[in-house]
Amino acid sequence: MYSPAEVARRYVETGKSKAALPVGRMLLLGILAGAFIALAGGSATFAVSYGGRLAGAAVFPAGLAMVLLAGSELFTGNCLLVIPLLERQLTWGRMLRSWGVVYLANVLGAGSVAALTVAAGTFDGVYESVVATAAAKAGLPFLTALLRGVLCNFLVCIAVWMSLAAQSVPGKLAAMYLPIFTFVLCGFEHSVANMFYLPAGILAAGRYGVAAEGLSWASMWTGNLLPVTLGNILGGCLVGVVYWAVYLRRGRRA
């Protein structure tokens, strides 16, 4: 396996390559990542309904496994682009361009899966849970959503970091599994997952005629995605800044 110092050095080039992708390719890969996370979220919905939160936490890591191994661009993981930025190998413009394009693409991918699964009647047996989950997320206080977003993406970026240390597929899967399991079990908030859960809840409420006070397209953004996204940025960048400071900052190179 690669040492943390080696992962840090290698990620400088990895991050530069990610940020240099043509917009069209970035969009397509971002749509795939949003769809992968959404499909894992859909599966976790059934797992929670039938087996509780522990079962949902056990299933959800499939999303990041698909993101990492199938090749795609995930906004939350790309918060680590702060590493090549601090190394002056990436400009603010390039980093923000990547974040913006990938975020939009993740919305499209996750939202499309939400629409397709609800339209297909996938949640016929668990629609009340789908709506209740979305309503609870949309009703979080701003600070609560923000802090849960920080904690979530701290763990997601640690999972990505650990997977980069492994040199085999089984190693990558084993490395990323427990941090993702942990964030789901703790109920932390992941913006891309919520790009699925919230639209699915809104659409399911309409399809099945379920009352969901406070759940709307507006509250999806203001009540959840805005604070959670900000929290995800803070949590992910914290991981990147710490590892940059320890292993890459001038005078501390290992």
Side-chain angles (χ1 to χ4, degrees), residues 93-184:
R94 280 284 185 177
M95 184 181 75
L96 294 175
R97 166 184 174 268
S98 174
W99 284 0
V101 171
V102 170
Y103 190 90
L104 172 62
N106 289 171
V107 170
L108 293 173
S112 295
V113 170
L116 288 170
T117 50
V118 172
T122 306
F123 302 120
D124 282 356
V126 295
Y127 61 85
E128 290 181 342
S129 176
V130 173
V131 176
T133 296
K137 287 179 176 292
L140 288 173
F142 190 96
L143 183 59
T144 298
L146 178 81
L147 294 177
R148 290 184 185 181
V150 171
L151 292 164
C152 170
N153 211 33
F154 183 89
L155 286 168
V156 170
C157 286
I158 289 295
V160 171
W161 191 270
M162 290 167 63
S163 76
L164 293 173
Q167 299 184 49
S168 67
V169 170
K172 289 180 181 295
L173 292 174
M176 53 73 59
Y177 187 86
L178 286 177
I180 303 303
F181 177 93
T182 300
F183 105 65
V184 178

Side-chain angles (χ1 to χ4, degrees), residues 35-48 59-60 63 123 193 196-197:
F36 293 154
I37 296 298
L39 290 166
S43 297
T45 296
F46 285 100
V48 170
V59 169
F60 189 80
F123 302 120
F196 163 76
Y197 285 121

Side-chain angles (χ1 to χ4, degrees), residues 46-104:
F46 285 100
V48 170
S49 296
Y50 300 141
R53 182 180 284 185
L54 189 67
V59 169
F60 189 80
L64 188 61
M66 289 186 280
V67 167
L68 294 174
L69 299 181
S72 57
E73 292 292 316
L74 184 67
F75 169 75
T76 45
N78 284 2
C79 289
L80 289 173
L81 290 177
V82 72
I83 294 174
L85 175 74
L86 291 170
E87 276 293 280
R88 299 181 182 178
Q89 298 298 307
L90 188 65
T91 65
W92 277 97
R94 280 284 185 177
M95 184 181 75
L96 294 175
R97 166 184 174 268
S98 174
W99 284 0
V101 171
V102 170
Y103 190 90
L104 172 62

